[in-house]
Amino acid sequence: MTLIKETDYGTPASTAAKMVTLEIDGHEVTVPEGTSIMRAAMELGTKIPKLCATDSLKSFGSCRLCLVEIEGRKGTPASCTTPVAPGIKVKTQTQRLAQLRKGVMELYISDHPLDCLTCAANGDCELQDMAGAVGLRDVRYGYEGDNHVFAKRADGAENIRYQPKDDSNPYFTFDPAKCIVCSRCVRACEEVQGTFALTIDGRGFASHVSAGMDENFLDSECVSCGACVQACPTATLSEKSVIDMGQPEHSVVTTCAYCGVGCSFKAEMKGDQVVRMVPYKDGGANEGHSCVKGRFAWGYTTHKDRVLKPMIRERITDPWKEVSWEEAIGHAASRFRDIQEKHGRGSIGGITSSRCTNEEVFVVQKMIRAAFRNNNVDTCARVCHSPTGYGLSRTFGTSAGTQDFKSVAAADVIVVIGANPTDGHPVFASRMKRRLRQGARLIVIDPRRIDLVESPHIRAAHHLQLQPSTNVAVINAMAHVIVTEGLANRAFVAERCEPAEFARWEAFIREERNSPEATEGVTGVPAAELRAAARLYATGGNAAIYYGLGVTEHSQGSTMVIGMANLAMLTGNVGRDGVGVNPLRGQNNVQGSCDMGSFPHEFSGYRHVNDDIVRRMFETVWQTQLDNEPGLRIPNMFNEAVEGTFKGLFVQGEDIAQSDPNTKHVTEALSAMDCVVVQDLFLNETAAFAHVFLPGTSFLEKDGTFTNAERRINRVRQVKAPLQGKQEWQVVSELAAAMGYPMHYASASEIMDEIARLTPTFAGVSFEKLDRLGSVQWPCNDKAPEGTPLMHVGGFVRGKGRFAVTEFVPTPEHANRSFPLILTTGRILSQYNVGAQTRRTANVAWHKEDILEIHPHDAELRGIEDGAMVSITSRIGATTLRARISDRMPQGVVYTTFHHPESGANVITTEYSDWATNCPEYKVTAVQVMPSNGPTDWQESYASWAERSRRVAREPAE
C-alpha cells in the first residue's frame, strides 16, 4: 500500500466541445478550448511550478511562479491564466524563466520561517517542493526589515506584522507566520465551500488572511469543512492530527459514514492508525470536498466508550457481564428459540440499520426471514424516508431520487422543501450554492428561515414560510396556479403520463379550494407570493426539487411526495439534467437499507413477499421456505410488545430508544420484551433495555458498500482490522446458524454477489466493477452496465407517469389553549442524528446541548429571556431545554434539535404518523413553553437509569 496522490492539473478542466492543438516544449497536445496552458502542459506530463494554482479553484495568477514563454508574444505570461490557442508554441523552461522563478522564490522565503525539519508539513509542503523545483540554493534577503515571522524585530521592538498561531479550532491550527498570502484558502472558502468566512485583509505587505473580522477561527463564520486546510500549500493551516502524528505513509479510499451524500475519502494512515481523512477528488458524490463531520469527526471510532467485548445479562437491571463471542451468540439464539416456542414464530423480529453496509443489512433481513422464519423486519428508514419510497414508486415507478448530484449544476430554478442542506447535507449544499451564485433562482418552502434563504451572495427569490403540517396545501396551490394559468407542459403530460389519471387529478386541482387565496388562511403563505413562486417553477427553465424530512415526517408525508411528483410531471421537469424530484437522505445508507429488503412487506429490490415468483426465487437461493405474509412494522412491534405478544428483538446499529417518537411508549415496549439484542459500537439508549450486546464495527473496519441519496453504490473499504475481532455480517451469520439456519459467507464480496443474483437493480454490481469504475448508480444491469445517473429518461420506470389526487387533510395534532405552540425539529451541522458518534468527537465545541428556538413575541409573552431554561410540555410528556430567542421561526412555532439523549426531544413527540407508511409526525407537536428552574422528572430519572444500565461487572483480580 502507498499514499494515493491525485494529479493536480493546476486549473479546472474546460467543458468546451471544440478542441485546440498547440505545441509545448516541442510536443503537440490537443485539449478543449478554454484550457489553461498550465493544464495542457500537465496533460503532457510537464509540471510547471506553481503555488497559487490548484485544479479545484479558478485560475488566479498571483504567485508568478508559473511563467512561460510563448513564441511571438512579449513577456512571460502566467500559464494558469493564459488559455491555449491554436498553433502556439510554448516554452516552460528557459534560462530567463529559471532566473525569474528563483527571484520569486527568494522573496517568498525571505518572509517565511526556515524550520522545515521540525515543521508539520515537512514532506508535504508545496513551498518546499517549489524551492527544490526552481533550484533555489540561497536567499539574499534577511529578516532585518519588515517581516511576519518573528514577534519582535531585530532591535527588540514589537513586530506589528506578527500574529500568533490560532489554535482555537479543535481540528486544525492557523499560523500566520507561515502564510505566503497565495489566497488559496480564501478562494476555497468562496468557490468550493461557499461560506465566504475568509478574506485577505490589508494591502501590500500588510496583506494577511483574516477569518471573519480578524477573529479566531472558532468564533468566525468558518464551518470547519477543511477546504482551506486542503488548499493550503504550506503549514499555515495544518491538521492537529498531522502535527501530533507526522505524515501518513499509506492510504485507503473509503466512504464517509455520516449523511446520505456519501463522500469518498482517502483514509491516510500510519500502520493501523488514521492520521487524517482527505476528501477524494475522484469521488462521484463529493469530488474532493467535505464537511466538518466527514473530514474531522472520526475520532469516535477509537473512543474509550466503545465496547469491544460481547456482553450478556439476565435482566436489564443487572450489570453487564463480558463473555466470549460463542457464549453471547449461543445465549441470544437460545433465548430467541425459547420465546418462539412459548409465544409463536411471530413473537420475535429485527430492525436493520441505515448506518451499516448493504451487505450487513442484507444478511440481517435474511436472518429474520430464513432463521426467525417470519417477515418481522423493519428499518430506521421507517421513521425518515419511507414516504419517499411509497410516493415515488406510485407516481414514477421506483423508490428513489431521479438525479445525480452533479445535475444541480444544470438547474435554473431550485426548490428546497423541508430540508436544510447547509446543515444536513453540507457538501451537496456547496454544489447548490455554487449554482445559485451563477444565477439559478431559489424557492425555499420551510417554516424556518434556513441559511439558504439569505447567506453570502445568495438570496432566495421566494421563501414560502408555511405553517407546519400544511405542505400538501401549499403544493396543491402551486399546481392550481400552474394549471389554471395555462403554464402546464401538456405535451409532456400527453406523451409521458396516464391520461385518465391526469384528467381526474386536473379536475381536482382546478377546484377553487386549492387556490392560493383559499389556502392562505391555513398555510400562512401570502397568495401573491405563492403564485409568483409557482410561476417561477413552471416558467424559469430547468426546475429541480430537493426535499428532506420536513416533507416526509408528517401525517401526510406520502401525500406530499406524490404532490411533488405531480408538480414535476405537470411541468415536464423529469428525465434530464437539472430537474427531478430528489430526496436528501439523512443517513449514509438509508437508500441502501431500503434497497436491501428491510421492509416487512418487501424483498430486496422492492418486490412484495406475496409475489410467488419472486418468493420462490429467494427460496431456491436460500434453500428454505419463506413466509408469504408481510410482517410487523416498528410501531406494530412496540404495540404488540406492550400487549405481551411480541417478546424478542434484534436491533442492528439503531438507537430506537432515542430516535423514535413517544420515548415513554418505546421504552415501555423494550422493557416488556424477554430478549433484546443490540449490535452497536456503544452502549446507547436502546442498550439500556438489552439483554445481549454484540459489539459492532466502525466504518473504518467495514468491507462492503453504501448507497447514497443519488443511488450511488460506493465501496466501503476496510482500513483496519475489526477492533472487536469479527465483521458484523459474520456475527449475524453465526447467530442465524445458532438459530438452526446455516448461513456462511467467505467475504462481503460474496454477499454482494448474492444481492446481485436476487435484485434486478443490482444485477450488474460487483466489488470488481466498483473497484474498477469507482462507483455506479443503480439500476446497474445488462441495459445499463455502468449504472444510471439519471432516471426516467424517455419514459418512466412504471411506463406512464401516474398523477394521483392529493387531498389536504389537516393533522389531528394542532395547537389549542393548553398547548398553543407548534414544535418542529431538525439537525445542526456539527452533529449527526442521535449524536452517538459526533458527541464523542471534538464537534461538541459547536453544539454542547440541544437548544429551543423561540420567536421574540412568544418569549416576551411568557417572560422567557435568551439563554434561560424552559420547560416544553406536550400531551405526551415534558422536557427542559435552554431557550434561544430567534426570529428564524414564525410566531407560534418553536424549533429544536435531537442530538443529545438527555434533551428528550422525543419524550414529547406524539404517536401520529403518515397514513401510508407509519413514518412518525416528528415535525408537528403541540406544546406549551414556560420558564423552568430545573430538569423534568423524566430527565432526572433518565440520568439515574442511564448510569445504572451501563454498569459492567468486572472479574475480581486474582
Side-chain angles (χ1 to χ4, degrees):
M1 293 184 289
T2 59
L3 201 61
I4 299 168
K5 290 282 191 181
E6 302 102 313
T7 300
D8 186 349
Y9 291 89
T11 61
S14 170
T15 57
K18 184 179 178 181
M19 304 300 286
V20 171
T21 299
L22 67 154
E23 183 182 294
I24 299 177
D25 295 332
H27 300 282
E28 273 197 358
V29 61
T30 301
V31 294
E33 186 177 50
T35 300
S36 71
I37 289 176
M38 175 181 283
R39 187 178 183 97
M42 197 65 210
E43 296 276 3
L44 276 174
T46 300
K47 187 174 182 180
I48 299 174
K50 62 180 177 61
L51 280 172
C52 72
T54 186
D55 60 12
S56 62
L57 305 174
K58 297 174 187 174
S59 56
F60 195 59
S62 73
C63 77
R64 313 313 295 172
L65 269 186
C66 69
L67 307 176
V68 294
E69 293 179 1
I70 303 174
E71 188 175 294
R73 295 191 189 180
K74 293 182 179 180
T76 52
S79 62
C80 66
T81 56
T82 305
V84 297
I88 63 172
K89 296 182 178 181
V90 178
K91 288 286 188 182
T92 67
Q93 187 68 28
T94 67
Q95 188 62 34
R96 179 190 183 197
L97 292 174
Q99 289 301 116
L100 287 171
R101 289 170 184 159
K102 278 187 181 181
V104 170
M105 280 304 303
E106 274 192 276
L107 292 172
Y108 278 121
I109 298 301
S110 71
D111 193 32
H112 192 83
L114 298 178
D115 60 350
C116 293
L117 292 180
T118 58
C119 178
N122 186 17
D124 187 30
C125 176
E126 291 182 47
L127 185 68
Q128 194 178 61
D129 293 343
M130 290 304 104
V134 304
L136 186 67
R137 297 295 176 259
D138 56 58
V139 178
R140 291 169 290 173
Y141 317 111
Y143 295 120
E144 290 77 13
D146 231 354
N147 71 79
H148 300 84
V149 178
F150 301 108
K152 293 187 180 294
R153 301 175 65 87
D155 60 5
E158 293 293 327
N159 183 359
I160 61 171
R161 305 282 189 217
Y162 176 79
Q163 292 180 321
K165 183 186 290 187
D166 177 4
D167 286 314
S168 62
N169 189 285
Y171 294 119
F172 59 83
T173 65
F174 172 60
D175 188 353
K178 296 186 176 182
C179 181
I180 61 172
V181 199
C182 65
S183 296
R184 272 166 59 166
C185 60
V186 175
R187 291 148 55 211
C189 191
E190 294 174 0
E191 298 175 26
V192 179
Q193 169 57 27
T195 296
F196 293 81
L198 305 180
T199 189
I200 300 294
D201 193 13
R203 291 176 177 273
F205 199 68
S207 299
H208 63 278
V209 172
S210 168
M213 302 293 289
D214 267 332
E215 305 160 77
N216 65 46
F217 267 75
L218 187 61
D219 294 335
S220 73
E221 298 93 339
C222 171
V223 294
S224 299
C225 67
C228 60
V229 179
Q230 190 167 343
C232 182
T234 70
T236 306
L237 287 156
S238 295
E239 293 105 325
K240 289 182 176 179
S241 59
V242 173
I243 294 172
D244 292 341
M245 301 175 65
Q247 293 298 326
E249 44 81 19
H250 75 271
S251 49
V252 179
V253 176
T254 190
T255 304
C256 179
Y258 281 117
C259 79
V261 174
C263 296
S264 296
F265 279 86
K266 295 181 296 182
E268 296 196 341
M269 313 286 294
K270 289 185 80 168
D272 65 353
Q273 293 186 336
V274 178
V275 176
R276 62 183 172 191
M277 299 292 289
V278 179
Y280 188 43
K281 279 172 59 176
D282 292 332
N286 60 318
E287 296 182 307
H289 190 35
S290 60
C291 79
V292 62
K293 295 188 288 290
R295 179 69 191 260
F296 297 117
W298 39 267
Y300 71 89
T301 62
T302 53
H303 193 274
K304 61 181 178 62
D305 289 350
R306 187 165 165 192
V307 179
L308 300 178
K309 293 184 179 180
M311 300 190 297
I312 63 173
R313 57 184 176 182
E314 284 299 315
R315 296 175 299 275
I316 61 174
T317 54
D318 293 340
W320 288 101
K321 175 188 174 185
E322 293 179 351
V323 296
S324 67
W325 278 110
E326 292 73 21
E327 184 175 351
I329 291 169
H331 183 78
S334 175
R335 295 200 52 165
F336 279 152
R337 287 196 305 268
D338 290 346
I339 289 169
Q340 286 186 308
E341 288 176 9
K342 185 176 180 181
H343 299 279
R345 190 177 64 184
S347 59
I348 64 173
I351 299 172
T352 69
S353 173
S354 293
R355 293 190 287 118
C356 291
T357 65
N358 287 317
E359 294 74 17
E360 290 167 337
V361 170
F362 185 83
V363 296
V364 170
Q365 64 86 32
K366 179 179 178 180
M367 173 183 72
I368 292 163
R369 299 187 198 280
F372 291 10
R373 296 174 292 119
N374 62 49
N375 290 316
N376 293 339
V377 58
D378 210 348
T379 176
C380 56
R382 169 74 56 207
V383 302
C384 60
H385 268 287
S386 49
T388 287
Y390 182 87
L392 293 183
S393 62
R394 283 199 67 192
T395 50
F396 295 164
T398 189
S399 300
T402 59
Q403 314 296 116
D404 62 3
F405 288 144
K406 294 179 184 178
S407 169
V408 75
D412 301 303
V413 178
I414 298 171
V415 186
V416 176
I417 310 179
N420 187 6
T422 55
D423 281 29
H425 306 84
V427 172
F428 173 71
S430 293
R431 282 188 189 270
M432 183 185 289
K433 288 190 291 184
R434 188 181 309 131
R435 180 61 190 141
L436 293 171
R437 292 195 302 273
Q438 292 168 349
R441 308 290 298 281
L442 174 65
I443 300 168
V444 174
I445 304 177
D446 201 291
R448 188 167 178 258
R449 191 182 72 246
I450 61 174
D451 286 347
L452 279 177
V453 172
E454 187 170 2
S455 57
H457 302 277
I458 291 171
R459 177 175 291 178
H462 303 284
H463 177 203
L464 308 186
Q465 196 168 21
L466 76 172
Q467 287 295 308
S469 82
T470 62
N471 290 339
V472 172
V474 167
I475 211 75
N476 284 348
M478 290 182 70
H480 176 91
V481 172
I482 292 167
V483 168
T484 57
E485 294 189 5
L487 305 177
N489 188 336
R490 293 192 174 271
F492 180 92
V493 172
E495 178 188 350
R496 298 280 300 271
C497 303
E498 293 182 359
E501 297 292 348
F502 174 71
R504 188 167 71 94
W505 174 84
E506 184 180 17
F508 157 76
I509 212 69
R510 280 183 175 275
E511 294 177 18
E512 179 59 27
R513 63 195 174 106
N514 290 317
S515 71
E517 290 74 19
T519 58
E520 181 175 342
V522 174
T523 66
V525 178
E529 185 79 4
L530 194 148
R531 283 187 177 274
R535 291 166 188 149
L536 176 60
Y537 177 79
T539 65
N542 288 339
I545 294 173
Y546 294 92
Y547 69 94
L549 303 184
V551 161
T552 56
E553 291 178 345
H554 284 279
S555 60
Q556 281 203 285
S558 292
T559 309
M560 180 60 179
V561 175
I562 292 169
M564 294 184 299
N566 288 342
L567 200 68
M569 292 188 290
L570 179 66
T571 54
N573 280 305
V574 184
R576 63 183 186 277
D577 265 327
V579 298
V581 181
N582 305 283
L584 296 176
R585 305 281 190 169
Q587 297 192 67
N588 53 297
N589 203 33
V590 172
Q591 183 67 59
S593 68
C594 299
D595 299 340
M596 292 299 102
S598 292
F599 290 125
H601 64 293
E602 290 174 333
F603 292 118
S604 61
Y606 307 97
R607 291 159 300 159
H608 206 281
V609 296
N610 65 13
D611 185 319
D612 292 341
I613 295 174
V614 171
R615 194 177 62 261
R616 285 178 192 136
M617 179 175 65
F618 277 85
E619 288 176 339
T620 300
V621 174
W622 291 354
Q623 293 292 291
T624 190
Q625 187 173 349
L626 300 173
D627 195 346
N628 65 352
E629 289 294 324
L632 299 175
R633 295 173 172 179
I634 292 172
N636 306 130
M637 295 181 196
F638 293 159
N639 291 339
E640 293 203 7
V642 172
E643 292 169 6
T645 57
F646 187 85
K647 305 297 288 184
L649 184 65
F650 180 92
V651 185
Q652 176 197 38
E654 179 63 16
D655 197 359
I656 53 178
Q658 185 181 344
S659 64
D660 282 38
N662 193 350
T663 300
K664 290 182 179 178
H665 179 62
V666 174
T667 55
E668 182 185 3
L670 290 170
S671 300
M673 296 185 199
D674 292 340
C675 182
V676 174
V677 177
V678 168
Q679 186 178 44
D680 215 309
L681 300 178
F682 306 105
L683 284 172
N684 57 20
E685 308 313 307
T686 304
F689 302 91
H691 305 85
V692 180
F693 187 88
L694 304 174
T697 53
S698 76
F699 79 108
L700 295 174
E701 300 144 48
K702 294 183 186 295
D703 185 32
T705 57
F706 293 150
T707 306
N708 75 351
E710 52 172 356
R711 298 169 285 103
R712 185 181 301 278
I713 307 164
N714 264 323
R715 281 284 278 120
V716 182
R717 294 180 178 87
Q718 185 174 315
V719 170
K720 58 167 73 174
L723 297 186
Q724 34 53 304
K726 289 180 183 286
Q727 290 289 352
E728 290 188 26
W729 54 262
Q730 289 179 286
V731 176
V732 172
S733 297
E734 291 173 16
L735 178 57
M739 290 285 293
Y741 175 74
M743 191 159 75
H744 174 75
Y745 299 99
S747 66
S749 176
E750 194 175 297
I751 302 172
M752 176 53 75
D753 292 343
E754 183 174 311
I755 293 167
R757 283 199 301 277
L758 292 169
T759 314
T761 49
F762 278 65
V765 180
S766 67
F767 279 22
E768 182 277 328
K769 178 176 285 187
L770 294 173
D771 290 339
R772 176 164 42 87
L773 299 180
S775 63
V776 297
Q777 291 169 264
W778 68 254
C780 177
N781 47 34
D782 290 341
K783 291 183 179 178
E786 295 191 357
T788 311
L790 301 180
M791 296 287 284
H792 316 299
V793 177
F796 289 99
V797 170
R798 69 182 310 276
K800 295 283 189 177
R802 182 178 186 270
F803 282 81
V805 171
T806 51
E807 191 77 54
F808 170 61
V809 179
T811 175
E813 182 73 6
H814 53 80
N816 54 41
R817 185 173 296 178
S818 300
F819 305 107
L821 303 174
I822 293 295
L823 170 71
T824 190
T825 60
R827 298 183 179 187
I828 199 164
L829 171 64
S830 65
Q831 297 296 316
Y832 170 68
N833 203 17
V834 296
Q837 293 152 269
T838 43
R839 281 187 283 107
R840 291 178 170 90
T841 71
N843 279 28
V844 293
W846 292 279
H847 190 72
K848 297 179 178 65
E849 59 182 334
D850 291 316
I851 300 291
L852 184 81
E853 289 184 9
I854 184 168
H855 189 274
H857 177 273
D858 296 325
E860 183 178 2
L861 194 65
R862 291 162 175 79
I864 295 170
E865 296 182 356
D866 191 59
M869 300 302 295
V870 295
S871 66
I872 308 99
T873 307
S874 73
R875 59 184 176 81
I876 296 294
T879 191
T880 300
L881 296 174
R882 194 176 307 279
R884 175 181 295 149
I885 298 175
S886 168
D887 62 359
R888 280 181 178 261
M889 304 301 299
Q891 190 176 322
V893 180
V894 293
Y895 168 89
T896 191
T897 52
F898 51 89
H899 304 301
H900 293 264
E902 61 271 17
S903 300
N906 283 321
V907 171
I908 52 181
T909 52
T910 72
E911 74 282 6
Y912 291 127
S913 64
D914 174 51
W915 63 271
T917 65
N918 281 135
C919 181
E921 190 170 43
Y922 290 110
K923 303 305 181 188
V924 185
T925 304
V927 298
Q928 178 60 285
V929 178
M930 297 299 288
S932 172
N933 57 5
T936 62
D937 291 343
W938 178 87
Q939 286 173 312
E940 288 183 340
S941 64
Y942 162 78
S944 173
W945 172 248
E947 183 178 352
R948 284 186 287 118
S949 67
R950 290 177 172 85
R951 292 173 299 152
V952 177
R954 302 296 179 188
E955 293 292 333
E958 293 184 0

